[in-house]
Amino acid sequence: MAGLVLGPLLRHVDQTSATVWVETDGPCAVDVLDGTARTFEVSGHHFALVILTGLRPGTSTPYEVRLDGEPVWPPPRSPLPYSRIRTPPSEDDALLLVFGSCRKPLEVDALGPDALSAYARRMAGRDESEWPRALLLLGDQVYADETSDATQEWLAQRRDISQPPGTEVTDFAEYAHLYHEAWSEPTMRWLLSTVPTSMIFDDHDVRDDWNTSHAWQRKMRRQPWWTERLRAAIASYWVYQHIGNLGPADLAADPTFQKVVRSGRDNQDLLVAFADEADNEVDGTKGARWSYRRDFGRTRLLVIDTRAGRILAGGTRSMVDEDEFAWIEDNADGDIDHLLVGSSLPWLLPHTISDLQSINERACRRPGWRGRFAEWLRQTLDLEHWAAFRASFDRLTRLIARVGRQPDPPATIAVLSGDVHHAYVTRATFAEPVGAAVYQITCSPIHNTVPGPMRLAFRAGWWAPLAAVSLRWARRAGVPAAAVDWSRISGPHFGNAVTTISLSGRTAVTTIERATGDGLVPLAEVTLAG
């Protein structure tokens, strides 16, 4: 009899449908409520995504998982509440969303308490009416390049870790181990089985500074182990994260998903070919779109890929290709009260850091040693956020301003981000006023840390006299003035944290909470609108 290895993960939920993801230790039929799916195989591992349709709006339904008819979830005698699928009522526009990024395994005790686990424990003790409707994980769910001690011991039993890439992971099986390590803790597993979860990757899901520049790409492609590593990263991301981001209609229209679930064989070669197509840049385009959209009543969540889709060759620097940016622009429009833009990388950084990134981008174009030195700085200091892709920064700024100037604009437009290992809230303003309240809300890490010198740098980045100096330097370097300005409302806050956004009608409130040994303590509460 097949057993449950990982999951269930409740992924896409709307008023009438849901998807539930599982990993099993063998081929089988997976049943959830009235839905059934056969497992599909990738590199000897078995998975299923059960698609449920015909659900009733405004219901809360406890569910079990059965493999070939045998119940395997929930665990017997679990102290946690029953996993449930909660569909939003058609007349209710309220949404409570929790988000964050950068979560190392719980086994790394030196990092302090895990904020998402603390949130799950508190949630389990509260009434279901207080549970969040959605969870957004904005990158670095796994650390392929910074493995835990336990994983390094496991890797040493598989291969010679004295040979490159050492204690970094190399293939699909090793990526699968990382996901098991990240998602197997009982409280985390219950949370993921109960709250619909959206995800997007960032650099450590593949490797630190992934796709920083074309020079970085060329350097990595010379490593004999890199091709297998990148293929495994993309294939495992597709299986463990991406397909759950899609609703039933998108899955039905996705040719790769349809091939995989119908093949009846191990799909490793199919996903290797897909990974190559997704990574290869041909005539300024990539072969896959990882960005996606979710609607929660009158709130739209638009998640932008800021890593895999980068265009870097031929002197071009764009976060995504032209077709994907056009898709993002098209999907930002709608009759909505709130637009949430998920981006693992912040759009608005501290002013000094933002200016330095734009200055560095221009310096990297210089010939000779100056350009090489600027490129070394870019890779050493991680100067590869939106401001370092200035054309993309300006295009995203124009998009947000356009949506905010519609005749009936959303009450709020908020860019939700992680990556930078601290939390803050900024309010954006434009020379030509917009009708929406526009914010950058950053929350990171869930379970990681930031070195003391970097804390100092983040604090100094907001210091007005230093920002004035960096602004003058940027103008002298030829960096044009941005069409947006921004002011810090809260932060920087350090420590493991999660952030919630509570939306009801046209009101919006965000709360940042830090994990302590006793649970979560509030750091800031900001009324965004209403």
Side-chain angles (χ1 to χ4, degrees):
M1 184 186 81
L4 187 65
V5 174
L6 194 59
L9 272 69
L10 181 60
R11 298 300 312 271
H12 188 283
V13 174
D14 58 29
Q15 292 176 349
T16 59
S17 69
T19 64
V20 178
W21 179 98
V22 298
E23 181 178 355
T24 66
D25 61 9
C28 61
V30 182
D31 297 313
V32 177
L33 299 178
D34 294 331
T36 300
R38 294 291 309 181
T39 55
F40 59 87
E41 185 176 357
V42 180
S43 192
H45 296 251
H46 302 269
F47 310 90
L49 188 68
V50 182
I51 301 173
L52 304 170
T53 58
L55 303 178
R56 290 191 297 119
T59 57
S60 177
T61 308
Y63 73 92
E64 296 180 343
V65 177
R66 296 177 178 269
L67 305 184
D68 289 335
E70 294 296 322
V72 294
W73 184 270
R77 298 177 296 281
S78 172
L80 297 165
Y82 228 80
S83 301
R84 312 184 75 84
I85 297 173
R86 296 170 297 138
T87 57
S90 56
E91 71 279 2
D92 186 6
D93 293 326
L95 172 68
L96 179 64
L97 178 144
V98 58
F99 79 93
S101 80
C102 307
R103 182 174 183 267
K104 281 200 168 184
L106 290 176
E107 288 76 8
V108 189
D109 296 329
L111 300 177
D114 182 292
L116 197 56
S117 292
Y119 188 92
R121 289 193 298 273
R122 186 179 69 186
M123 172 185 154
R126 291 186 170 181
D127 185 81
E128 179 186 340
S129 62
E130 299 182 65
W131 294 357
R133 286 280 182 187
L135 169 64
L136 175 61
L137 298 176
L138 286 166
D140 294 347
Q141 272 71 261
V142 295
Y143 281 73
D145 55 338
E146 298 177 6
T147 53
S148 68
D149 291 344
T151 290
Q152 292 177 23
E153 292 176 7
W154 179 82
L155 291 172
Q157 296 173 9
R158 297 189 85 231
R159 56 179 171 82
D160 183 0
I161 60 173
S162 68
Q163 300 299 311
T167 56
E168 301 182 28
V169 300
T170 58
D171 59 20
F172 190 94
E174 293 177 5
Y175 263 100
H177 180 87
L178 294 185
Y179 283 104
H180 300 164
E181 184 179 47
W183 293 348
S184 292
E185 189 271 326
T187 306
M188 184 68 181
R189 197 169 180 180
W190 171 79
L191 175 72
L192 294 174
S193 75
T194 305
V195 180
T197 305
S198 306
M199 306 177 183
I200 196 70
F201 41 17
D202 200 15
D203 54 344
H204 289 285
D205 292 84
V206 180
R207 197 174 201 263
D208 188 27
D209 300 337
W210 178 36
N211 284 345
T212 289
S213 64
H214 195 217
W216 185 93
Q217 280 186 337
R218 293 196 303 269
K219 178 179 69 175
M220 294 309 302
R221 287 170 178 171
R222 290 194 292 268
Q223 305 300 319
W225 48 268
W226 177 249
T227 297
E228 182 183 13
R229 161 72 159 279
L230 186 59
R231 287 169 170 172
I234 293 175
S236 62
Y237 175 81
W238 186 91
V239 171
Y240 283 89
Q241 299 194 51
H242 177 67
I243 58 175
N245 292 327
L246 308 179
D250 290 327
L251 291 167
D254 188 300
T256 303
F257 180 76
Q258 293 302 320
K259 289 176 184 177
V260 166
V261 297
R262 295 174 179 175
S263 72
R265 57 178 176 81
D266 194 308
N267 292 281
Q268 176 68 11
D269 290 344
L270 190 156
L271 287 183
V272 163
F274 170 79
D276 288 344
E277 182 181 2
D279 181 61
N280 289 339
E281 184 178 330
V282 180
D283 297 328
T285 63
K286 289 287 185 76
R289 171 171 58 80
W290 303 106
S291 301
Y292 60 93
R293 164 187 151 187
R294 277 189 165 176
D295 288 339
F296 304 91
R298 291 181 57 80
T299 295
R300 174 159 300 168
L301 173 63
L302 186 59
V303 180
I304 300 176
D305 161 38
T306 59
R307 283 292 175 183
R310 293 181 176 186
I311 302 302
L312 300 168
T316 301
R317 281 178 57 83
S318 178
M319 279 293 187
V320 294
D321 66 30
E322 176 63 32
D323 289 344
E324 187 159 348
F325 231 130
W327 181 92
I328 292 165
E329 290 167 332
D330 289 344
N331 281 270
D333 292 319
D335 182 18
I336 53 177
D337 287 330
H338 305 278
L339 174 62
L340 306 178
V341 178
S343 164
S344 64
L345 302 178
W347 167 49
L348 303 177
L349 289 161
H351 288 89
T352 299
I353 297 174
S354 183
D355 286 337
L356 290 176
Q357 297 216 17
S358 296
I359 293 167
N360 175 262
E361 181 188 28
R362 297 182 73 86
C364 287
R365 299 171 184 164
R366 300 181 69 175
W369 70 268
R370 293 178 179 85
R372 292 193 298 272
F373 178 70
E375 176 62 38
W376 176 83
L377 280 178
R378 173 158 60 196
Q379 295 186 32
T380 301
L381 301 179
D382 292 346
L383 304 178
E384 37 87 40
H385 296 75
W386 281 95
F389 288 72
R390 185 53 190 268
S392 296
F393 174 95
D394 291 339
R395 188 167 179 176
L396 179 61
T397 300
R398 291 193 299 271
L399 164 63
I400 290 171
R402 175 179 62 78
V403 173
R405 294 188 183 116
Q406 293 174 342
D408 187 16
T412 62
I413 302 172
V415 179
L416 313 182
S417 304
D419 181 73
V420 291
H421 290 201
H422 68 292
Y424 61 90
V425 180
T426 67
R427 175 79 183 260
T429 55
F430 300 82
E432 180 184 343
V434 301
V438 180
Y439 296 90
Q440 168 73 62
I441 308 173
T442 302
C443 182
S444 168
I446 293 172
H447 189 230
N448 209 320
T449 189
V450 59
M454 289 303 299
R455 293 191 183 207
L456 181 62
F458 287 135
R459 292 187 188 278
W462 293 110
W463 190 41
L466 192 59
V469 171
S470 68
L471 180 62
R472 288 195 296 271
W473 183 10
R475 295 298 169 271
R476 292 184 61 183
V479 177
V484 61
D485 195 8
W486 57 100
S487 57
R488 176 169 51 107
I489 294 176
S490 183
H493 304 290
F494 297 98
N496 297 328
V498 291
T499 294
T500 55
I501 298 181
S502 177
L503 307 170
S504 181
R506 292 180 67 81
T507 66
V509 177
T510 189
T511 304
I512 302 171
E513 298 179 279
R514 184 176 62 211
T516 69
D518 297 323
L520 293 170
V521 297
L523 296 175
E525 181 175 289
V526 178
T527 298
L528 307 177

